Amino acid sequence: MPVVSVGMPLGPGCSTCGYCGPLGERSSTETSFKKAGFIASQLSCRVYQKMIYRGWRRSGTYCYAPDLRRSCCPQYTIRLDAIAFKPSRSQRKIINRWNHFVMQGHKSEASNLLLLQGISSSPKPPKSEGNASKRDPPIFSLSTSIHAAESDFVSPNATARHNFKVTLEPSTYSEEKYALYLLYQREVHHDPYNTPEDFKRFLVKSPLINEPIPYTTSPPDHLPSQYGSFHQMYRLDGELIAMGVIDILPECVSSVYFMYDPKHEKYSLGKLSAIREASLAREIHDAGAITMTSLAMGFYIHSCQKMKYKGGYSPSYLADPEKFTWFPLADCIPQLEKFRYAAFVHPEHSLEGPQDPGEGPPVCVSEELLDGVMVIYSMQQGAISIIPINLSHQWNDEYNREEILSCVNALGDELAREIIFR
């Protein structure tokens, strides 16, 4: 039986901005705008897939669509083609540096071990035979390299200095996860005030309903069997050192959040996680779920240095903020450099200057569309009765009507018909 997507529409809003304020602080004024919001009771993974490709994101069960035209730091939806992705030299170095640490430890650990064994820590390298420059470079395999140091993949004949394990588990709460979140927020984001409920609301609760992944072959044990919301757990010698919050959807792995123990910061675990998530999407595709092709990396914010790193993964694409068609990031850069708000399909709509242009024209939605947008009328003994939203009591209230129109407009015709409002 297909999953029914249900939620409550919310209208436009604004808040302070966390991207252009001082480190650990938000902007002093409300300069980050949203076109609409949506509190999801439950969503099919297919519906949420369509939502994020129309510029929506979720924070727990709260979904929102940024208003790029009005915001100080426009947030462009970015996706990486995981099938065509080939890590750059610097990205390969990140993988290799972490694998080297897991297998051989820090230099200090290796030196101490050698001293205990009575061996010099700096042996002379053996002379190479032949001309090294003429040797063929080793063939790089992303999936092989990303798993090379994991305990479940290390050869039984190999000896690893550390035990490294990455697992996927459902999005659930534990004290261990919460402790890591507190540490990360305090040390990295200078945000010391977070309760267990804050953590649950932000990174545990999800409206997505699990659905089977239609593999055409029997997938390896480390791949998920279902679409839905997951925590990707990174353990080193049994200790949780990092966690990725991800949604696995029919066409993409969607990055929600990543946190790590700052004592491992020098290993660029955030960048490593993006590479690992791209590899996960590719591995799911290669196991027979052929619609899985991308890593949805959230938002690309050209004016924010800490968010521009996403442009280093190639080939990446930005969604046009008006038509939601995809454009290669490299082709968008000139406009992003010139304009605060850049429209790619209609560049004449682009805006310079930091000032808010104000609200656009009133939202207009056709009666034909409204006749097809449904709202829950009653619930009795598990049975739901629905009616067109323009016949509901919510429609008679002017404030509610404006919220409905804004949400329907931000969702677009197709999605608005697929969701039942409440």
Side-chain angles (χ1 to χ4, degrees), residues 294-319:
S294 300
L295 173 64
M297 302 181 72
F299 293 130
Y300 175 83
I301 303 175
H302 192 69
S303 58
C304 178
Q305 192 59 42
K306 68 180 180 181
M307 299 294 280
K308 284 179 70 174
Y309 80 91
K310 298 178 183 182
Y313 299 82
S314 180
S316 288
Y317 299 82
L318 298 187

Side-chain angles (χ1 to χ4, degrees), residues 135-151:
R135 294 176 183 171
D136 292 331
I139 297 174
F140 179 85
S141 165
L142 175 56
S143 60
T144 299
S145 297
I146 207 71
H147 294 301
E150 291 178 47
S151 58

